[in-house]
Amino acid sequence: MTNGNGAPVEQAAPQLNVLAQYTKDLSFENPNAPASLGQQQQQPAINIQINVGANNLSENEYEVVLSIEGKAETGGKVMFSFDLAYAGVFRIVNVPKENLHPLVMIECPRLLFPFAREIVATSVRDGGFPPLLLDPVDFVGLYRQNMERQAAAQAASGAKPS
């Protein structure tokens, strides 16, 4: 692309700024304490669910919420469970429209994850258990799964993709 004088027009560089990060909601339950705090015969089964949601706050600002739910069970009893909604407000400018959704749903939660991981580890430790260190998350894979699920749901309902 050139301007009227034949010189190339410079494109403004894409920008992603974190304006705020915060805990929206945090719940930790230790329903069988103090019995659950003693020595266990077997390792607990730990189930973790991670989801990402986003809200458009203004033309260039988005709130992204990383939701992490987890539960540890042994012998049919819940040792602990937690539910964390950790959010950030991001300003995104000079990003092509076709790249905006993946950026919001992949890069923004990737920036939030280390902070959410620390909150989970600290909450579990403060609940009387060894810290639960969550494995890194493949947000690209999570994004693809969600897009495939949405496409399958649209196909099943007979709707045409937009």
Side-chain angles (χ1 to χ4, degrees), residues 71-85:
K71 183 186 290 187
E73 295 179 288
T74 186
K77 288 191 174 187
V78 174
M79 294 178 67
F80 64 84
S81 64
F82 62 87
D83 188 354
L84 170 65

Side-chain angles (χ1 to χ4, degrees), residues 28-42 44 72-74 77-81 127-130:
F28 181 86
E29 296 180 22
N30 191 349
N32 293 302
S36 62
L37 300 175
Q39 189 73 0
Q40 301 297 319
Q41 299 296 331
Q42 60 188 29
E73 295 179 288
T74 186
K77 288 191 174 187
V78 174
M79 294 178 67
F80 64 84
S81 64
F129 301 94

Side-chain angles (χ1 to χ4, degrees), residues 68-132:
I68 305 174
E69 296 178 38
K71 183 186 290 187
E73 295 179 288
T74 186
K77 288 191 174 187
V78 174
M79 294 178 67
F80 64 84
S81 64
F82 62 87
D83 188 354
L84 170 65
Y86 190 74
V89 175
F90 298 86
R91 179 177 296 132
I92 302 171
V93 293
N94 302 325
V95 172
K97 187 172 182 166
E98 64 273 10
N99 297 342
L100 189 58
H101 191 258
L103 180 70
V104 168
M105 300 303 284
I106 296 170
E107 290 305 318
C108 294
R110 191 184 327 231
L111 292 170
L112 294 173
F113 181 75
F115 300 95
R117 181 180 191 255
E118 177 62 27
I119 292 168
V120 168
T122 301
S123 298
V124 171
R125 185 198 66 214
D126 290 350
F129 301 94
L132 177 61

Side-chain angles (χ1 to χ4, degrees), residues 9-69:
V9 175
E10 289 190 29
Q11 296 286 334
Q15 292 183 353
L16 171 64
N17 302 101
V18 182
L19 303 180
Q21 290 181 214
Y22 46 93
T23 300
K24 271 188 95 115
D25 186 30
L26 174 61
S27 171
F28 181 86
E29 296 180 22
N30 191 349
N32 293 302
S36 62
L37 300 175
Q39 189 73 0
Q40 301 297 319
Q41 299 296 331
Q42 60 188 29
Q43 286 283 69
I46 298 176
N47 184 19
I48 306 289
Q49 296 287 337
I50 297 176
N51 290 300
V52 178
N55 301 309
N56 191 330
L57 301 176
S58 67
E59 182 181 349
N60 296 321
E61 294 181 4
Y62 301 84
E63 178 190 49
V64 176
V65 180
L66 178 59
S67 300
I68 305 174
E69 296 178 38

